[in-house]
């Protein structure tokens, strides 16, 4: 049989060694023919392997390589399997794909689990033949989709809503596959077979595990969303799960390694990275919109990609959904071993999964080690009838005797020995096996009066003493490590003089490899891929309990050092090892890194608690200040004054940091945060002060800190405004971080502050098209809404602003920003009631944050809407509230908007413009060439001229406004300019001169949805 579903394809013949499939063109041809039964055209096959060759050349290559394919078949004893005709050929060769198709047709759940296609040709590629590589990936996608659909159909009971949704998704993916690649979709499964499985009728289940027939049967037929095996350690819970689902992904709880959330899930997903990577490459795959969320927890999925900033509110929810979709892409059913040792986030995720019914899970747990939090979670599932319990009791005498005959036939135990074994082990299969291995049924050793852990410890210590010292050291190291680790992590490093490749180094490696084999043969270690671990948790616990304090600390230190050298190390696991090694300050350093990892997974409360611990307990001033900086950063935009005070306090603590380089690095981060904080608080003078200090630190900062500093300096430069300076800073940012996701966002914003609305829109639209998922970390939608409003595309602007609100709801800073933009859009559209509602909400959020800049913006925009509604007194109050706030932050766009509304209020009967306000406007106009600033200046001049009866001056100012607005492509200021010219013409006594402009103004206003301006134009018609 040709084995293709395994990651090492091979020809497998009974009684003969497996013959690995060589990575050659002749073998590739056999793969294509074997995977797709039936006749193939020579032209099609040649085009698949040699797509870039001329047809005649491709056919020539095919003839040569088919001859070599026949030689390979002959070596397998299958010389007649390849049938050829002049224009076509076929391969008649048994494969495990045939078995998979048969299992899909029959609805054979056990065969489907055994024949999972996740290993399909993994890593089997031909360099220089990308077409064949694409065929392999397309086949893998098709096999996985068809297998998932068939496996879900085999689940006992009615299909759950989640399963139906997932099946629809896989079906849509299957139809999207290219027609050139035939699918392996099976016909509908046998309804009879499915019914037998669902209700437990039909042939009796074979007793594969002696004494466990009833438990196996229940596992196979239970329709429950979640099922929990409960029993004492060593009773065989894991064995039962693996007997029914030997290939299903398994979440492994690990004792004392519960600090990092979702660890069991991520460990299981790492074993399936090739499948996930293929799924993420499919545009229509349900997992693809969550690619970046998953990559935050599995950086291997985006190794060279800088991720956008984290959305604090939705990060945790989106990661949980991403994990569900990832496992839905892999399996219809999930296993969980040692549930009692899974972290709280994983338990919460499993609880959500059971309630939703999207993915079934089957778990094992030690009944008497379930903590209060897990007990409450399980009780809630039982109350909702989403969890079924299945007790696993020790074996009775008959069951244990049958197990001994099956597993340890060589021991040839007598009835008396079996009876003694039953008494000593209490029917616990694990303990019975250890007793047999130790020879205790015949050697004595009365353990009947001891607890199970005590009995295991006594037996294990007896076994350990039999091992050579090196093998014993490996078992002890594995017991301390808890998680499976490579052999190199479990033994001491080679002598310093033994360089890799030298004879001394080779002897060192051989010595420990031999020791590992001894521990494996003794049944104390097991292999987990290329890693080693204690064969059972009872072994691990017993061995660890027998270690002296100094030995235990040394092994924890060894584990911590090895884990710290690995990429993407679990920082909290390393921290626990350092704590157990009695080095608490080193543990705090790793807890700081662990808090960063927790933040990346959306676990902000846990991260905050860890940083607070580091800040309070660290004797290292630099470490303590860093932790306090992270605490301040968590609240930076929620309460701007509080964040400012926390950052200023950190500046005062900096002299305590002795190392100059560390002090500079920390100061760079603090100054960056202060610039950002002051910009958004509307305190540009304060921002400039910190920016001056920050620029002096830039050359000495590491790249990561320098990139953050450059971004906040760009933000300040845009608002000063110093547009050339902003472009220069962006150029430096591109040099330091060419893959930074925010580069296009900054480009768009600089274009906007420089007055180039269309260019700003185009840059942000490109960013949104390329990376729609970045909306969770960058304000792309909000910024696009601003550009669309300026360009007069009000419907699109409103839709984009509301999208931004959906993306950022609950994040006060960005929610306020989006509400300000929405209020402006609705005012331009003449929808004043919802505009005022949005702006009042923005005002409340601005006050909550202590943002004077946002508060001023909200007051001015409210005044604009109120004036249009004829509510002059309310508008005046809003302008009076805004004036001192704008004076403290004289940003030209805000100043020009405030002064324009003051003039419009004066035109409606309010007080005249003051000299101070005129001076503010003149200063803003001199500092900014932004077309919105300049058109507002022109409008102020025109309105004042009209108030003074100076029609020629009003006409000249309105014409300048029209020219500026027309050149910049800004419809709203252009319509306003035309209406000003109509009013000036009327004042000149030449109403007919404004007639043409009046029609243009009304048409343009209606075309862009500017309802109030359209009404104004209509009112001027004769």
């Amino acid at each position: 049989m040709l084995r293709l579903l395994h990651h090492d394809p091979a020809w497998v013949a009974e009684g003969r060694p497996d013959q690995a499939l060589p990575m050659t063109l002749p073998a590739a041809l056999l793969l294509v023919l074997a995977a797709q039964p039936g006749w193939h055209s020579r032209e099609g096959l040649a085009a698949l392997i040699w797509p870039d060759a001329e047809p005649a050349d491709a056919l020539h290559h095919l003839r040569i390589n088919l001859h070599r394919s026949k030689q390979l078949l002959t070596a397998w004893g299958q010389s007649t399997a390849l049938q050829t005709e002049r224009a076509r050929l076929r391969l008649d060769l048994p494969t495990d794909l045939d078995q998979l198709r048969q299992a899909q047709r029959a609805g054979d759940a056990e065969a489907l689990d055994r024949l999972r296609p996740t290993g399909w040709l993994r890593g089997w590629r031909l360099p220089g033949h990308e077409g064949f590589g694409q065929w392999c990936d397309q086949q893998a996608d098709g096999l996985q989709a068809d297998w998932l659909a068939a496996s879900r159909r085999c689940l006992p009971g009615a299909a759950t809503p989640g399963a139906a949704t997932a099946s629809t998704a896989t079906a849509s993916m299957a139809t999207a596959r290219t027609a050139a690649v035939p699918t392996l979709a099976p016909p509908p499964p046998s309804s009879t077979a499915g019914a037998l499985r669902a209700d437990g009728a039909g042939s009796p289940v074979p007793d594969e595990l002696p004494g466990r027939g009833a438990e196996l049967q229940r596992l196979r037929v239970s329709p429950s969303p979640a099922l929990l095996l409960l029993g004492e350690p060593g009773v065989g819970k894991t064995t039962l799960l693996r007997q029914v689902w030997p290939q299903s992904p398994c979440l492994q709880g690990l004792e004392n390694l519960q600090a990092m959330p979702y660890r069991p899930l991520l460990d299981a997903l790492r074993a399936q990275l090739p499948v996930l990577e293929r799924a993420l490459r499919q545009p229509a795959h349900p997992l693809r919109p969550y690619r970046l969320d998953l990559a935050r927890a599995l950086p291997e999925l985006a190794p060279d990609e800088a991720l956008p900033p984290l959305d604090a509110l939705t990060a945790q929810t989106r990661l949980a959904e991403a994990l569900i979709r990832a496992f839905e892409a892999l399996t219809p059913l999930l296993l969980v071993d040692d549930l009692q040792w899974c972290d709280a986030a994983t338990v919460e995720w499993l609880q959500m999964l059971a309630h939703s019914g999207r993915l079934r899970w089957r778990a094992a747990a030690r009944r008497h080690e379930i903590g209060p939090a897990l007990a409450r979670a399980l009780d809630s599932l039982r109350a909702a009838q989403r969890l079924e319990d299945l007790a696993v009791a020790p074996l009775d005498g008959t069951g244990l005797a049958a197990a001994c005959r099956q597993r340890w036939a060589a021991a040839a135990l007598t009835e008396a020995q079996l009876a003694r074994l039953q008494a000593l082990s209490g029917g616990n299969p694990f303990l019975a096996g250890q007793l047999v291995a130790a020879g205790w049924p015949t050697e004595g050793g009365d353990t009947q009066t001891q607890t199970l852990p005590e009995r295991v410890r006594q037996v294990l210590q007896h076994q350990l003493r039999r091992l050579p010292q090196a093998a014993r050291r490996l078992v002890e190291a594995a017991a301390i490590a808890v998680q499976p680790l490579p052999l190199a992590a479990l033994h001491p490093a080679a002598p310093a003089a033994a360089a890799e490749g030298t004879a001394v180094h080779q002897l060192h490696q051989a010595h420990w490899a031999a020791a590992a084999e001894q521990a494996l043969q003794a049944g104390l270690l097991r292999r987990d891929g290329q890693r080693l671990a204690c064969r059972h948790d009872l072994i691990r616990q017993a061995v660890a309990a027998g270690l002296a304090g100094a030995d235990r600390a040394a092994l924890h230190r060894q584990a911590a050092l090895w884990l710290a050298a690995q990429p993407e190390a679990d920082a909290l696991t390393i921290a626990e090892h350092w704590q157990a090694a009695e080095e608490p300050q080193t543990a705090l350093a790793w807890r700081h890194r662990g808090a960063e990892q927790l933040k990346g997974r959306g676990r902000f409360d846990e991260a905050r608690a860890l940083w607070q611990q580091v800040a309070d307990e660290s004797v290292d001033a630099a470490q303590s200040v860093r932790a306090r900086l992270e605490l301040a950063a968590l609240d930076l935009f929620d309460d701007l004054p509080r964040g400012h005070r926390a950052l200023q306090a950190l500046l005062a603590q900096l002299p305590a940091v002795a190392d100059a380089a560390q002090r500079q690095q920390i100061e760079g981060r603090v100054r960056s945060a202060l610039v950002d904080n002051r910009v958004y608080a509307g305190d540009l003078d304060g921002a400039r002060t910190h920016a001056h200090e920050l620029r002096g630190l830039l050359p000495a900062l590491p790249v990561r800190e320098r990139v953050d500093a450059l971004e906040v300096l760009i933000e300040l430069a845009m608002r000063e405004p110093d547009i050339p300076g902003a472009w220069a800073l962006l150029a430096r940012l591109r040099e330091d971080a060419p893959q930074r996701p925010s580069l296009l966002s900054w480009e768009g914003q600089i274009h906007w502050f420089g007055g180039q609305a269309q260019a700003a829109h185009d840059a942000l639209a490109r960013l949104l098209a390329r990376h729609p998922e970045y909306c969770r970390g960058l304000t792309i939608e909000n910024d696009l809404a601003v550009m669309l409003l300026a360009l007069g595309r009000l419907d699109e602007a409103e839709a984009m602003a509301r999208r931004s609100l959906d993306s950022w709801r609950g994040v006060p800073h960005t929610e306020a920003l989006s509400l300000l933009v929405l209020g402006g859009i609705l005012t331009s559209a003449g929808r004043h009631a919802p505009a005022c509602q949005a702006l009042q909400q923005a005002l409340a959020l601005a006050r909550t944050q202590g943002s004077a800049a946002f508060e001023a913006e909200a007051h001015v925009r409210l005044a604009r809407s109120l004036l249009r509604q004829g509510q002059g007194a309310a508008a005046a109050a809003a302008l009076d509230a805004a004036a001192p706030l704008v004076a403290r932050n004289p940003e030209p766009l805000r100043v020009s908007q405030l002064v324009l509304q003051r003039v419009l209020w004066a035109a409606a009967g309010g007080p005249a413009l003051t000299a101070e306000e005129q001076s503010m406007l003149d200063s803003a106009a001199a500092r900014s060439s932004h077309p919105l600033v300049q058109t507002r200046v022109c409008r102020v001049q025109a309105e004042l001229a009209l108030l003074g009866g100076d029609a020629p001056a009003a006409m000249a100012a309105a014409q300048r406004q029209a020219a500026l607005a027309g050149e910049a492509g800004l419809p709203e200021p252009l319509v306003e300019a035309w209406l000003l010219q109509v009013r000036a013409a009327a004042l000149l006594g030449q109403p007919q001169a404004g007639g043409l402009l009046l029609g243009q103004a009304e048409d343009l206003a209606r075309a862009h949805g500017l309802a109030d301006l359209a009404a104004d134009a209509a009112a001027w018609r004769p």
Side-chain angles (χ1 to χ4, degrees), residues 163-338:
T165 301
S167 297
T168 303
T170 53
S172 67
M173 285 186 287
T175 57
R177 282 182 248 135
T178 174
V181 182
T183 67
L184 302 174
S190 164
S191 58
T192 304
L196 290 177
R197 292 240 174 248
D199 62 16
S203 303
V205 177
D207 197 14
E208 309 99 320
L209 296 176
R212 298 301 191 201
E215 291 92 338
L216 289 170
Q217 178 71 347
R218 190 60 206 155
L219 284 174
R220 289 187 171 106
V221 302
S222 172
S224 178
L227 185 147
L228 179 61
L229 295 177
L230 289 165
E232 67 181 24
V235 79
K237 304 180 296 296
T238 306
T239 302
L240 281 165
L241 290 178
R242 282 304 187 192
Q243 181 68 27
V244 181
W245 299 286
Q247 301 299 323
S248 288
C250 182
L251 312 185
Q252 182 63 60
L254 295 171
E255 189 177 19
N256 299 324
L257 298 185
Q258 300 106 310
M260 188 58 69
Y262 304 125
R263 175 176 180 145
L265 285 81
L266 300 177
D267 285 347
L269 289 177
R270 280 193 176 93
Q272 302 293 338
L273 282 179
V275 183
L276 295 178
E277 288 166 347
R278 286 202 308 269
L280 290 170
R281 286 196 294 267
Q282 299 176 51
H285 198 284
L287 181 59
R288 185 171 173 82
Y290 291 81
R291 181 178 68 88
L292 294 183
D293 303 277
L294 197 59
R296 293 188 190 280
L298 290 171
E300 304 95 315
L301 294 174
D304 300 319
E305 188 171 351
L307 301 179
L310 193 68
D311 170 14
L313 185 71
T314 62
Q316 188 172 329
T317 302
R318 286 185 61 84
L319 177 56
E321 176 64 22
L323 291 167
I324 291 175
R325 294 187 181 210
F327 279 104
E328 282 179 332
L330 294 173
T331 185
L333 184 139
L334 192 59
L335 303 184
V336 187
D337 196 16
D338 286 318

Side-chain angles (χ1 to χ4, degrees), residues 336-475:
V336 187
D337 196 16
D338 286 318
L339 177 63
Q340 76 279 355
W341 292 330
C342 287
D343 60 272
T346 297
V347 171
E348 180 184 326
W349 184 84
L350 290 168
Q351 195 176 1
M352 178 174 62
L353 209 58
H355 280 297
S356 71
R358 289 172 61 179
L359 186 67
R360 300 185 188 189
W361 52 267
R362 303 293 182 253
R366 298 182 177 187
R367 183 187 297 275
H368 300 299
E369 296 185 33
I370 291 176
L374 176 57
R376 287 192 296 271
L378 296 175
D379 285 343
S380 74
L381 290 178
R382 293 184 185 107
Q385 297 184 329
R386 307 303 288 172
L387 174 68
E388 176 181 350
D389 289 325
L390 183 58
V392 183
L395 292 171
D396 58 18
T398 302
L400 185 61
C404 288
R405 286 191 291 270
Q406 182 189 77
R407 301 180 197 176
W408 309 297
L413 299 177
T414 65
E415 290 299 322
Q417 289 171 332
L418 287 171
R420 178 169 173 73
L421 184 63
Q422 173 69 26
L424 291 173
S425 68
N428 184 288
F430 171 80
L431 182 53
Q434 297 306 122
L435 288 165
V436 170
W440 278 28
T442 58
E443 290 187 5
D446 189 1
T447 65
Q448 290 176 260
T449 61
Q450 299 173 321
T451 64
L452 178 63
E454 290 171 339
R455 283 181 281 168
V456 171
R457 192 174 307 134
Q458 186 174 350
V459 175
L460 261 296
Q461 290 301 324
H462 179 78
Q463 285 184 275
L464 268 178
R465 285 193 295 271
R466 292 180 171 184
L467 284 178
Q469 182 179 356
R472 189 162 62 248
R473 168 63 185 261
L474 292 179
V475 177

Side-chain angles (χ1 to χ4, degrees), residues 806-830:
D806 289 339
S807 296
W808 292 95
R809 196 171 302 282
V811 181
H813 170 76
T814 318
E815 188 175 356
L817 194 60
S818 300
L819 285 167
L820 287 170
V821 174
L822 179 61
I825 295 166
L826 296 173
T827 300
S828 291

Side-chain angles (χ1 to χ4, degrees), residues 664-846:
Q664 277 189 325
Q665 182 178 347
I666 296 171
E667 184 180 358
R669 291 194 61 196
V670 175
R671 296 283 184 190
S672 294
L674 279 165
V675 172
D676 222 11
N677 179 277
R678 293 297 82 201
V679 165
Y680 285 104
D683 178 10
L684 291 187
D685 287 338
R688 290 187 193 99
T689 299
H690 294 297
H692 175 74
E693 300 294 333
L694 182 58
R695 289 188 181 95
L697 294 169
L698 280 178
L701 291 179
V703 171
R704 177 179 171 183
E705 282 73 16
R706 188 164 63 246
V707 164
D708 292 340
L710 288 168
E711 290 196 329
V712 300
L713 290 173
I714 290 172
E715 189 76 57
L716 174 61
M718 291 188 303
R719 295 177 185 280
E720 285 187 303
D722 177 9
I723 302 306
W727 283 117
L729 288 165
L730 181 59
R732 294 179 64 181
L733 181 61
R734 287 188 192 280
E735 292 176 5
D736 282 341
Q739 301 301 318
R740 188 83 165 174
S742 56
L743 289 174
L744 270 176
S745 176
W746 289 120
E747 181 181 325
Q749 291 181 67
I750 297 173
H751 275 306
W752 167 251
F753 280 94
Q756 300 162 315
Q758 187 63 56
H761 168 273
D762 294 347
L764 291 167
R766 286 200 306 275
L767 178 58
L768 185 61
R770 292 178 190 174
H771 301 290
E773 64 269 36
Y774 286 3
C775 290
R776 296 290 175 176
L778 300 173
T779 58
I780 307 171
E781 295 153 320
N782 180 82
D783 296 341
L784 264 175
V786 173
M787 316 314 165
L788 289 165
L789 170 61
L791 295 170
R793 294 156 61 176
L794 267 61
D795 289 344
E796 295 173 69
E798 181 181 351
M800 199 60 70
R802 294 192 184 280
R803 273 183 58 176
S804 181
L805 278 171
D806 289 339
S807 296
W808 292 95
R809 196 171 302 282
V811 181
H813 170 76
T814 318
E815 188 175 356
L817 194 60
S818 300
L819 285 167
L820 287 170
V821 174
L822 179 61
I825 295 166
L826 296 173
T827 300
S828 291
R831 294 158 57 194
H832 295 290
C836 287
Q837 183 181 8
L839 292 168
Q840 289 288 1
Q841 291 174 347
L843 180 60
L845 285 169

Side-chain angles (χ1 to χ4, degrees), residues 365-635:
R366 298 182 177 187
R367 183 187 297 275
H368 300 299
E369 296 185 33
I370 291 176
L374 176 57
R376 287 192 296 271
L378 296 175
D379 285 343
S380 74
L381 290 178
R382 293 184 185 107
Q385 297 184 329
R386 307 303 288 172
L387 174 68
E388 176 181 350
D389 289 325
L390 183 58
V392 183
L395 292 171
D396 58 18
T398 302
L400 185 61
C404 288
R405 286 191 291 270
Q406 182 189 77
R407 301 180 197 176
W408 309 297
L413 299 177
T414 65
E415 290 299 322
Q417 289 171 332
L418 287 171
R420 178 169 173 73
L421 184 63
Q422 173 69 26
L424 291 173
S425 68
N428 184 288
F430 171 80
L431 182 53
Q434 297 306 122
L435 288 165
V436 170
W440 278 28
T442 58
E443 290 187 5
D446 189 1
T447 65
Q448 290 176 260
T449 61
Q450 299 173 321
T451 64
L452 178 63
E454 290 171 339
R455 283 181 281 168
V456 171
R457 192 174 307 134
Q458 186 174 350
V459 175
L460 261 296
Q461 290 301 324
H462 179 78
Q463 285 184 275
L464 268 178
R465 285 193 295 271
R466 292 180 171 184
L467 284 178
Q469 182 179 356
R472 189 162 62 248
R473 168 63 185 261
L474 292 179
V475 177
E476 291 168 348
I480 290 300
V482 182
Q483 67 193 92
L485 292 179
L487 175 59
L490 300 178
H491 65 68
E500 190 169 350
T502 64
V504 175
H505 183 269
Q506 291 171 357
L507 284 172
H508 177 83
Q509 296 297 99
H511 170 72
W512 288 106
E517 287 301 321
Q518 291 168 333
L520 288 162
Q521 290 172 11
L524 299 179
L525 292 183
R526 63 176 173 84
R527 292 195 187 278
D528 186 335
Q530 299 299 312
R531 301 184 170 220
L532 297 171
C534 287
R535 187 173 64 82
H536 197 283
D537 282 311
L538 284 170
I539 295 175
R540 177 182 55 75
Q541 291 170 323
V543 172
L547 284 170
D551 291 337
R552 180 192 297 269
L555 289 171
H556 275 295
R557 190 176 299 108
Q558 176 181 312
L561 289 170
W562 188 88
L563 289 169
Q566 308 313 302
E568 308 304 336
D570 180 346
L572 293 183
T573 293
I574 297 169
E576 290 303 317
H577 281 300
W578 282 118
Q579 190 70 37
E582 301 177 359
E583 297 193 31
Q585 290 299 309
T586 308
L588 286 174
W590 282 96
R591 287 201 172 98
H592 182 96
R593 290 184 59 176
E596 293 175 341
Q597 293 178 342
L598 285 169
K599 181 181 176 183
R601 296 179 188 181
R603 313 294 295 195
F604 290 89
D605 291 340
E606 293 99 319
R608 188 190 302 273
L610 277 179
W611 274 319
Q612 191 64 59
Q613 180 190 7
V614 174
D616 293 342
E617 298 179 11
S618 180
V619 299
D620 180 347
Q623 187 165 277
S624 178
V625 170
R626 281 198 187 95
R628 295 185 192 282
L629 176 57
E630 296 296 346
L631 288 169
L634 288 174
D635 299 323

